[in-house]
Amino acid sequence: MPTDAIQCKPLEVAVGDKGIERAIKHLKRKMAAEGILRELKRRRHYMKPSVKRRKKASEAARRRRKRSKMDVMQ
């Protein structure tokens, strides 16, 4: 059974003068930006192939909308 493993560099957050709460907040922001939380939610339950195809198409549309929104802002 092939896996959809994604290779990426590990997330690191430096805890400086601002404290551990600030570092946790920064880590959560980085995880959201990398899509780690979305990936965990996706892998939590089995998804039928037909649902997986629909989800993949909707994710692609979401990325296209985000990209076009960023292009308009520049």
Side-chain angles (χ1 to χ4, degrees):
M1 185 170 149
T3 60
D4 298 330
I6 299 172
Q7 297 294 325
C8 61
K9 62 180 182 176
L11 291 176
E12 293 181 1
V13 177
V15 180
D17 304 350
K18 297 180 181 178
I20 190 84
E21 289 83 16
R22 186 76 163 212
I24 291 172
K25 190 174 186 179
H26 192 66
L27 177 66
K28 285 182 181 178
R29 245 186 274 132
K30 275 189 173 184
M31 287 174 60
E34 290 285 326
I36 294 172
L37 298 176
R38 184 182 301 272
E39 184 73 16
L40 284 175
K41 287 179 185 177
R42 187 181 70 82
R43 290 176 184 247
R44 195 165 284 165
H45 302 288
Y46 174 75
M47 197 180 307
K48 291 178 10 182
S50 60
V51 175
K52 194 180 284 190
R53 280 192 299 272
R54 285 196 310 256
K55 186 83 168 168
K56 186 176 179 181
S58 69
E59 287 290 318
R62 183 184 67 81
R63 285 192 302 273
R64 276 195 306 273
R65 283 193 306 270
K66 185 176 178 182
R67 195 177 321 123
S68 68
K69 187 172 132 181
M70 294 302 289
D71 290 341
V72 169
M73 292 178 76
Q74 290 179 358

